[in-house]
Amino acid sequence: MSLAAAVGLVRFPDLLTRMHAGTKPQVFGLLLMLTAVALGSRNAWMIPLIVLGWVFQLLTVPVSAHMVGRSTYRTKHLNRDTLTQDDLQEVLNRVGPDGQHTDGPGRTR
């Protein structure tokens, strides 16, 4: 899995696709490693700790990847030609320069 992630990091054209290749195997690889630790230790008290660690990883990896992707988009460090659908641009068009949501010309929510 790490080899597939490494190949994706080298071959993919921009940060968003490279980030996808790097984060997907991470969660499953951690599950396999934690399972090996649980089987190797043969202690029942390790199972809740391992499950807690894996759930924490499941909750934090998508959030961190989302934040990196969003900052990449806002700083324009991506190739827009590779995007198939751009939902974030519509949201950013509704937000004014000061961060206020606008309903139309001159109207602020």
Side-chain angles (χ1 to χ4, degrees):
M1 291 182 66
S2 295
L3 178 64
V7 169
L9 289 173
V10 172
R11 303 255 342 214
F12 286 156
D14 62 349
L15 180 68
L16 296 177
T17 53
R18 288 179 184 161
M19 185 175 56
H20 178 78
T23 57
K24 295 304 174 192
Q26 173 188 354
V27 176
F28 188 61
L30 179 71
L31 174 66
L32 293 177
M33 186 186 74
L34 291 176
T35 303
V37 167
L39 292 174
S41 71
R42 297 180 192 260
N43 291 329
W45 60 270
M46 288 286 288
I47 294 173
L49 293 174
I50 288 172
V51 169
L52 181 65
W54 191 60
V55 167
F56 181 73
Q57 191 75 14
L58 279 174
L59 294 175
T60 58
V61 167
V63 173
S64 62
H66 175 78
M67 297 308 293
V68 169
R70 193 172 179 111
S71 66
T72 299
Y73 186 91
R74 285 180 171 243
T75 58
K76 303 189 183 358
H77 284 92
L78 69 127
N79 184 2
R80 290 191 185 273
D81 296 335
T82 60
L83 294 178
T84 56
Q85 185 173 347
D86 190 359
D87 293 333
L88 187 56
Q89 186 60 49
E90 180 182 321
V91 173
L92 292 177
N93 287 340
R94 288 185 295 187
V95 175
D98 57 353
Q100 295 286 332
H101 289 280
T102 58
D103 291 331
R107 296 182 354 198
T108 305
R109 268 199 263 171

